[in-house]
Amino acid sequence: MDRLEVITRHINWLLLRKENVIVAIDGKCTSGKSTLAAQLAEKYDCNVFHMDDFFLRPEQRTPERYAQIGGNVDYERFQEEGLVPLLSGKDFAYRPFDCKPFPLPEPVCVQAKQLNIIEGSYSMHPCFKDPYDLKILLTVDPQIQRQRVLQRPAFVQERFFTQWIPMENQYLESFRIADHADIIL
């Protein structure tokens, strides 16, 4: 049984029992979180939310914030604009981060759907108090991760190696995310 089949069995079970299903896909960068979310979106009529849409805004990028475990994501805004409205089961809007225009862009309108997927590193941060029906953790071998990072644009590679990967590893280890996941692949 492949990983998509394992996950769809869990999701199908939840969809038969719940009106509002929220799935988190967390894990190391280059482990396939976005790919898995896209595969699930092809299979289901669902919303997909990316933690990358909740990067820190420039004014939040302080040494104190970066010193926090998981502090390089705007978890306050994700909670307020994403999780709280999502848990209500009603339509809502949020403002995704865009690195080009630094003020946040116009809101994205979200139609309420039964299945909602939150993908990205830090999606299972304990500050969210576990609102998920299914928690998936994706891992990747360090050598494969390195190869995949080297396939990304050259201008971001150094940040992956010196900043993003160490911060993700610290988050995953410090908060013992694997201990809280329902599925680890």
Side-chain angles (χ1 to χ4, degrees):
M1 188 177 332
D2 72 0
R3 76 180 194 171
L4 188 59
E5 196 174 335
V6 169
I7 292 165
T8 57
R9 283 183 183 212
H10 284 275
I11 290 173
N12 292 341
W13 187 89
L14 288 165
L15 291 173
L16 291 173
R17 289 159 178 78
K18 295 195 70 179
E19 290 183 32
N20 188 12
V21 176
I22 305 175
V23 175
I25 304 172
D26 202 332
K28 296 184 175 201
C29 62
T30 76
S31 63
K33 299 177 300 293
S34 298
T35 300
L36 176 58
Q39 290 171 329
L40 293 171
E42 282 183 30
K43 185 165 183 60
Y44 297 98
D45 177 28
C46 65
N47 291 313
V48 175
F49 302 92
H50 306 280
M51 290 304 291
D52 287 354
D53 286 341
F54 296 91
F55 274 156
L56 292 177
R57 291 165 294 186
E59 67 272 14
Q60 294 173 300
R61 297 175 189 173
T62 65
E64 296 79 19
R65 182 58 180 251
Y66 283 125
Q68 297 174 20
I69 298 172
N72 56 323
V73 68
D74 190 346
Y75 46 80
E76 299 93 347
R77 190 166 64 82
F78 176 65
Q79 177 79 30
E80 180 183 321
E81 291 187 17
L83 278 179
V84 169
L86 188 58
L87 290 166
S88 77
K90 298 178 182 168
D91 295 352
F92 66 96
Y94 71 98
R95 298 164 298 145
F97 178 83
D98 184 348
C99 62
K100 293 177 184 100
F102 271 111
L104 293 173
E106 292 300 312
V108 171
C109 296
V110 177
Q111 182 182 15
K113 295 191 177 184
Q114 184 182 12
L115 177 60
N116 301 278
I117 298 168
I118 314 297
E119 78 81 20
S121 297
Y122 310 103
S123 60
M124 294 191 320
H125 194 290
C127 73
F128 302 134
K129 298 183 175 61
D130 193 16
Y132 304 115
D133 301 295
L134 180 62
K135 297 177 294 255
I136 302 165
L137 177 66
L138 299 184
T139 63
V140 63
D141 177 82
Q143 294 298 355
I144 294 171
Q145 183 182 48
R146 179 171 181 71
Q147 292 169 358
R148 290 176 180 171
V149 167
L150 292 173
Q151 293 172 3
R152 302 226 172 159
F155 72 93
V156 296
Q157 292 174 8
E158 183 178 341
R159 289 193 76 189
F160 271 100
F161 294 126
T162 62
Q163 186 178 8
W164 295 332
I165 291 173
M167 290 176 87
E168 285 177 359
N169 289 341
Q170 182 185 33
Y171 154 76
L172 292 167
E173 292 166 16
S174 295
F175 291 128
R176 302 171 53 119
I177 299 301
D179 292 349
H180 305 285
D182 300 307
I183 299 172
I184 301 173
L185 300 168

